[in-house]
Amino acid sequence: MHKRILIVEDEPAIRDMVAYALRKGEFEPVTASDGREAQAAIAERVPDLILLDWMLPGTSGLELARRWRREVLTRDVPIIMLTARGEENDRVGGLEAGVDDYVVKPFSARELLARIRAVMRRSREDDEDGSVQVGGLRIDGAAHRVFAEADSQSTAIHIGPTEYRLLHFFMTHPDRVYSRSQLLDHVWGGSVYVEERTVDVHIRRLRKTLEPHGLDGMVQTVRGAGYRFSAAS
Ligand code: CA
């Protein structure tokens, strides 16, 4: 069965172009022109991926992304933001809202499909990954959840999708130093639209997530080189 992709875009010409490209790429497009229609489409069936326009009438794409990241139903659905040139500076804000990637308008059908496939491949790799434990931190790969383990007690840690991917990469590659660009390649799939400082944003968020459990020291800054994950502080 074809993967269902929800397009949330208020400009009919772009919406139609994207829907056409998706059909040709063997995806099943579903269209919405604003947040309300998108919500209705999600209620009908949760899509496999969402293409979300940044500037929408009513609720903005950024607000929608934040909302969907909070909701259980849509928490793990990859989101690719469609932005106009000039909105690029807001990208870090979008990544903090849990957006997986960006495509800048005007984009070609080929570029869009490549981006969609890369994001889908990444989320599938996550699904297939097994569980991993390093020190007091455990990932349940099947459940897509992170736990702090202390005194034979498990405490669930609420974590954003990008931080989850970052942590999973770190935990499966501990005690090695990775530069920002290496982390971009491994965790973000080498997307040219993601800047290196994005890595710092997510490292900061990951530490903040681990801090209440006293585990933030596992994410270590290696001056002039990058970052390392280690059970030994
Ligand atoms: Ca728009």
Side-chain angles (χ1 to χ4, degrees):
M1 204 166 65
H2 293 331
K3 295 275 188 194
R4 177 183 278 227
I5 298 182
L6 173 62
I7 309 160
V8 192
E9 166 67 66
D10 60 314
E11 281 170 66
I14 297 178
R15 206 166 55 223
D16 292 349
M17 182 277 260
V18 171
Y20 179 77
L22 291 182
R23 249 177 245 119
K24 288 210 95 174
E26 308 222 303
F27 292 106
E28 182 197 342
V30 181
T31 57
S33 58
D34 59 21
R36 199 185 316 207
E37 283 184 22
Q39 210 61 55
I42 290 169
E44 200 173 288
R45 200 176 117 197
V46 178
D48 296 295
L49 185 142
I50 300 172
L51 293 174
L52 180 59
D53 183 28
W54 186 284
M55 295 294 281
L56 288 167
T59 316
S60 77
L62 193 63
E63 280 173 72
L64 289 171
R66 280 210 187 92
R67 185 193 299 169
W68 291 334
R69 276 296 160 259
R70 280 196 307 263
E71 284 169 7
V72 177
L73 212 58
T74 45
R75 201 164 51 197
D76 296 323
V77 179
I79 298 174
I80 297 178
M81 210 90 186
L82 308 176
T83 66
R85 216 162 277 285
E87 290 164 1
E88 290 131 295
N89 291 338
D90 296 327
R91 262 191 236 140
V92 171
L95 290 164
E96 289 198 314
V99 168
D100 293 86
D101 208 348
Y102 282 86
V103 178
V104 180
K105 295 175 192 172
F107 48 81
S108 67
R110 200 172 141 183
E111 182 191 354
L112 180 69
L113 289 175
R115 204 52 64 82
I116 289 169
R117 293 198 175 104
V119 167
M120 281 189 159
R121 198 161 51 234
R122 246 148 56 194
S123 63
R124 194 170 56 237
E125 276 165 10
D126 278 358
D127 290 345
E128 284 167 3
D129 276 329
S131 303
V132 56
Q133 178 153 6
V134 178
L137 210 47
R138 179 171 66 87
I139 283 184
D140 181 334
H144 238 249
R145 298 187 74 187
V146 180
F147 297 91
E149 306 287 339
D151 307 323
S152 63
Q153 219 183 326
S154 283
T155 312
I157 299 177
H158 187 74
I159 191 164
T162 304
E163 285 70 49
Y164 176 90
R165 282 205 308 271
L166 186 57
L167 183 62
H168 195 280
F169 175 77
F170 273 144
M171 288 177 70
T172 49
H173 303 80
D175 299 308
R176 267 180 271 174
V177 181
Y178 290 95
S179 69
R180 287 169 181 80
S181 69
Q182 284 173 324
L183 288 173
L184 279 180
D185 279 348
H186 289 294
V187 180
W188 280 262
S191 166
V192 289
Y193 288 103
V194 182
E195 297 157 41
E196 291 199 356
R197 70 186 167 123
T198 301
V199 175
D200 301 329
V201 171
H202 288 285
I203 290 280
R204 216 157 42 233
R205 285 190 63 179
L206 178 57
R207 282 192 179 128
K208 225 166 149 183
T209 302
L210 300 177
E211 201 178 3
H213 308 277
L215 298 169
D216 51 308
M218 294 173 100
V219 182
Q220 300 162 2
T221 303
V222 182
R223 207 172 269 278
Y227 296 103
R228 172 180 55 212
F229 183 85
S230 180
S233 42

PDB file of all heavy atoms in Angstrom, residues 95-111:
ATOM      1  N   LEU A  95      12.939  23.698  13.876  1.00  0.00           N
ATOM      2  CA  LEU A  95      13.556  22.460  14.345  1.00  0.00           C
ATOM      3  C   LEU A  95      13.298  22.268  15.828  1.00  0.00           C
ATOM      4  O   LEU A  95      13.112  21.161  16.298  1.00  0.00           O
ATOM      5  CB  LEU A  95      15.060  22.467  14.053  1.00  0.00           C
ATOM      6  CG  LEU A  95      15.390  22.340  12.566  1.00  0.00           C
ATOM      7  CD1 LEU A  95      16.821  22.739  12.293  1.00  0.00           C
ATOM      8  CD2 LEU A  95      15.144  20.918  12.081  1.00  0.00           C
ATOM      9  N   GLU A  96      13.259  23.389  16.542  1.00  0.00           N
ATOM     10  CA  GLU A  96      12.940  23.280  17.972  1.00  0.00           C
ATOM     11  C   GLU A  96      11.497  22.839  18.168  1.00  0.00           C
ATOM     12  O   GLU A  96      11.171  22.232  19.174  1.00  0.00           O
ATOM     13  CB  GLU A  96      13.197  24.620  18.670  1.00  0.00           C
ATOM     14  CG  GLU A  96      14.684  24.908  18.785  1.00  0.00           C
ATOM     15  CD  GLU A  96      15.003  25.960  19.816  1.00  0.00           C
ATOM     16  OE1 GLU A  96      14.307  26.991  19.816  1.00  0.00           O
ATOM     17  OE2 GLU A  96      15.949  25.754  20.585  1.00  0.00           O
ATOM     18  N   ALA A  97      10.647  23.163  17.200  1.00  0.00           N
ATOM     19  CA  ALA A  97       9.244  22.732  17.289  1.00  0.00           C
ATOM     20  C   ALA A  97       9.095  21.264  16.892  1.00  0.00           C
ATOM     21  O   ALA A  97       8.022  20.702  16.980  1.00  0.00           O
ATOM     22  CB  ALA A  97       8.373  23.609  16.394  1.00  0.00           C
ATOM     23  N   GLY A  98      10.189  20.648  16.471  1.00  0.00           N
ATOM     24  CA  GLY A  98      10.148  19.220  16.171  1.00  0.00           C
ATOM     25  C   GLY A  98      10.003  18.888  14.697  1.00  0.00           C
ATOM     26  O   GLY A  98       9.689  17.764  14.329  1.00  0.00           O
ATOM     27  N   VAL A  99      10.240  19.873  13.820  1.00  0.00           N
ATOM     28  CA  VAL A  99      10.176  19.626  12.379  1.00  0.00           C
ATOM     29  C   VAL A  99      11.405  18.814  11.958  1.00  0.00           C
ATOM     30  O   VAL A  99      12.495  19.047  12.442  1.00  0.00           O
ATOM     31  CB  VAL A  99      10.133  20.987  11.628  1.00  0.00           C
ATOM     32  CG1 VAL A  99      10.372  20.797  10.154  1.00  0.00           C
ATOM     33  CG2 VAL A  99       8.797  21.679  11.879  1.00  0.00           C
ATOM     34  N   ASP A 100      11.202  17.856  11.043  1.00  0.00           N
ATOM     35  CA  ASP A 100      12.296  16.967  10.672  1.00  0.00           C
ATOM     36  C   ASP A 100      13.189  17.531   9.574  1.00  0.00           C
ATOM     37  O   ASP A 100      14.377  17.240   9.520  1.00  0.00           O
ATOM     38  CB  ASP A 100      11.739  15.620  10.210  1.00  0.00           C
ATOM     39  CG  ASP A 100      11.086  14.898  11.361  1.00  0.00           C
ATOM     40  OD1 ASP A 100       9.894  15.139  11.644  1.00  0.00           O
ATOM     41  OD2 ASP A 100      11.780  14.113  12.009  1.00  0.00           O
ATOM     42  N   ASP A 101      12.589  18.302   8.669  1.00  0.00           N
ATOM     43  CA  ASP A 101      13.391  18.833   7.569  1.00  0.00           C
ATOM     44  C   ASP A 101      12.652  20.002   6.914  1.00  0.00           C
ATOM     45  O   ASP A 101      11.497  20.274   7.240  1.00  0.00           O
ATOM     46  CB  ASP A 101      13.667  17.730   6.533  1.00  0.00           C
ATOM     47  CG  ASP A 101      14.975  17.967   5.786  1.00  0.00           C
ATOM     48  OD1 ASP A 101      15.533  19.081   5.906  1.00  0.00           O
ATOM     49  OD2 ASP A 101      15.416  17.057   5.090  1.00  0.00           O
ATOM     50  N   TYR A 102      13.360  20.654   6.003  1.00  0.00           N
ATOM     51  CA  TYR A 102      12.826  21.816   5.288  1.00  0.00           C
ATOM     52  C   TYR A 102      13.017  21.668   3.802  1.00  0.00           C
ATOM     53  O   TYR A 102      14.008  21.118   3.362  1.00  0.00           O
ATOM     54  CB  TYR A 102      13.593  23.083   5.700  1.00  0.00           C
ATOM     55  CG  TYR A 102      13.179  23.603   7.015  1.00  0.00           C
ATOM     56  CD1 TYR A 102      13.753  23.111   8.166  1.00  0.00           C
ATOM     57  CD2 TYR A 102      12.200  24.575   7.099  1.00  0.00           C
ATOM     58  CE1 TYR A 102      13.366  23.574   9.394  1.00  0.00           C
ATOM     59  CE2 TYR A 102      11.800  25.054   8.322  1.00  0.00           C
ATOM     60  CZ  TYR A 102      12.393  24.545   9.476  1.00  0.00           C
ATOM     61  OH  TYR A 102      12.002  24.993  10.676  1.00  0.00           O
ATOM     62  N   VAL A 103      12.071  22.200   3.048  1.00  0.00           N
ATOM     63  CA  VAL A 103      12.271  22.353   1.614  1.00  0.00           C
ATOM     64  C   VAL A 103      11.918  23.803   1.300  1.00  0.00           C
ATOM     65  O   VAL A 103      10.865  24.296   1.709  1.00  0.00           O
ATOM     66  CB  VAL A 103      11.382  21.390   0.801  1.00  0.00           C
ATOM     67  CG1 VAL A 103      11.595  21.612  -0.693  1.00  0.00           C
ATOM     68  CG2 VAL A 103      11.691  19.949   1.154  1.00  0.00           C
ATOM     69  N   VAL A 104      12.831  24.497   0.629  1.00  0.00           N
ATOM     70  CA  VAL A 104      12.627  25.913   0.345  1.00  0.00           C
ATOM     71  C   VAL A 104      11.997  26.087  -1.037  1.00  0.00           C
ATOM     72  O   VAL A 104      12.453  25.501  -2.012  1.00  0.00           O
ATOM     73  CB  VAL A 104      13.966  26.687   0.438  1.00  0.00           C
ATOM     74  CG1 VAL A 104      13.752  28.167   0.137  1.00  0.00           C
ATOM     75  CG2 VAL A 104      14.583  26.518   1.826  1.00  0.00           C
ATOM     76  N   LYS A 105      10.917  26.892  -1.080  1.00  0.00           N
ATOM     77  CA  LYS A 105      10.251  27.194  -2.358  1.00  0.00           C
ATOM     78  C   LYS A 105      11.077  28.205  -3.153  1.00  0.00           C
ATOM     79  O   LYS A 105      11.647  29.102  -2.548  1.00  0.00           O
ATOM     80  CB  LYS A 105       8.873  27.812  -2.085  1.00  0.00           C
ATOM     81  CG  LYS A 105       7.890  26.898  -1.400  1.00  0.00           C
ATOM     82  CD  LYS A 105       6.630  27.712  -1.104  1.00  0.00           C
ATOM     83  CE  LYS A 105       5.704  26.965  -0.173  1.00  0.00           C
ATOM     84  NZ  LYS A 105       4.582  27.806   0.276  1.00  0.00           N
ATOM     85  N   PRO A 106      11.149  28.137  -4.460  1.00  0.00           N
ATOM     86  CA  PRO A 106      10.533  27.070  -5.273  1.00  0.00           C
ATOM     87  C   PRO A 106      11.410  25.823  -5.287  1.00  0.00           C
ATOM     88  O   PRO A 106      12.617  25.917  -5.370  1.00  0.00           O
ATOM     89  CB  PRO A 106      10.478  27.711  -6.662  1.00  0.00           C
ATOM     90  CG  PRO A 106      11.628  28.665  -6.678  1.00  0.00           C
ATOM     91  CD  PRO A 106      11.830  29.141  -5.266  1.00  0.00           C
ATOM     92  N   PHE A 107      10.775  24.663  -5.189  1.00  0.00           N
ATOM     93  CA  PHE A 107      11.535  23.409  -5.185  1.00  0.00           C
ATOM     94  C   PHE A 107      11.072  22.552  -6.362  1.00  0.00           C
ATOM     95  O   PHE A 107       9.965  22.723  -6.869  1.00  0.00           O
ATOM     96  CB  PHE A 107      11.335  22.649  -3.869  1.00  0.00           C
ATOM     97  CG  PHE A 107       9.893  22.532  -3.461  1.00  0.00           C
ATOM     98  CD1 PHE A 107       9.067  21.569  -4.016  1.00  0.00           C
ATOM     99  CD2 PHE A 107       9.364  23.393  -2.511  1.00  0.00           C
ATOM    100  CE1 PHE A 107       7.738  21.472  -3.642  1.00  0.00           C
ATOM    101  CE2 PHE A 107       8.026  23.293  -2.130  1.00  0.00           C
ATOM    102  CZ  PHE A 107       7.218  22.332  -2.695  1.00  0.00           C
ATOM    103  N   SER A 108      11.922  21.657  -6.795  1.00  0.00           N
ATOM    104  CA  SER A 108      11.535  20.753  -7.877  1.00  0.00           C
ATOM    105  C   SER A 108      10.881  19.513  -7.270  1.00  0.00           C
ATOM    106  O   SER A 108      11.096  19.195  -6.102  1.00  0.00           O
ATOM    107  CB  SER A 108      12.766  20.337  -8.679  1.00  0.00           C
ATOM    108  OG  SER A 108      13.607  19.539  -7.878  1.00  0.00           O
ATOM    109  N   ALA A 109      10.091  18.840  -8.084  1.00  0.00           N
ATOM    110  CA  ALA A 109       9.425  17.607  -7.638  1.00  0.00           C
ATOM    111  C   ALA A 109      10.477  16.584  -7.213  1.00  0.00           C
ATOM    112  O   ALA A 109      10.317  15.879  -6.224  1.00  0.00           O
ATOM    113  CB  ALA A 109       8.562  17.047  -8.759  1.00  0.00           C
ATOM    114  N   ARG A 110      11.575  16.573  -7.958  1.00  0.00           N
ATOM    115  CA  ARG A 110      12.638  15.617  -7.690  1.00  0.00           C
ATOM    116  C   ARG A 110      13.281  15.863  -6.320  1.00  0.00           C
ATOM    117  O   ARG A 110      13.521  14.924  -5.557  1.00  0.00           O
ATOM    118  CB  ARG A 110      13.679  15.775  -8.798  1.00  0.00           C
ATOM    119  CG  ARG A 110      14.553  14.593  -8.936  1.00  0.00           C
ATOM    120  CD  ARG A 110      15.386  14.765 -10.164  1.00  0.00           C
ATOM    121  NE  ARG A 110      16.717  14.278  -9.886  1.00  0.00           N
ATOM    122  CZ  ARG A 110      17.707  14.354 -10.758  1.00  0.00           C
ATOM    123  NH1 ARG A 110      17.520  14.937 -11.919  1.00  0.00           N
ATOM    124  NH2 ARG A 110      18.882  13.876 -10.436  1.00  0.00           N
ATOM    125  N   GLU A 111      13.536  17.143  -6.033  1.00  0.00           N
ATOM    126  CA  GLU A 111      14.132  17.500  -4.749  1.00  0.00           C
ATOM    127  C   GLU A 111      13.190  17.131  -3.600  1.00  0.00           C
ATOM    128  O   GLU A 111      13.606  16.576  -2.587  1.00  0.00           O
ATOM    129  CB  GLU A 111      14.423  19.007  -4.725  1.00  0.00           C
ATOM    130  CG  GLU A 111      15.094  19.478  -3.443  1.00  0.00           C
ATOM    131  CD  GLU A 111      15.131  20.996  -3.321  1.00  0.00           C
ATOM    132  OE1 GLU A 111      14.738  21.700  -4.274  1.00  0.00           O
ATOM    133  OE2 GLU A 111      15.543  21.472  -2.246  1.00  0.00           O
TER     134      GLU A 111
END
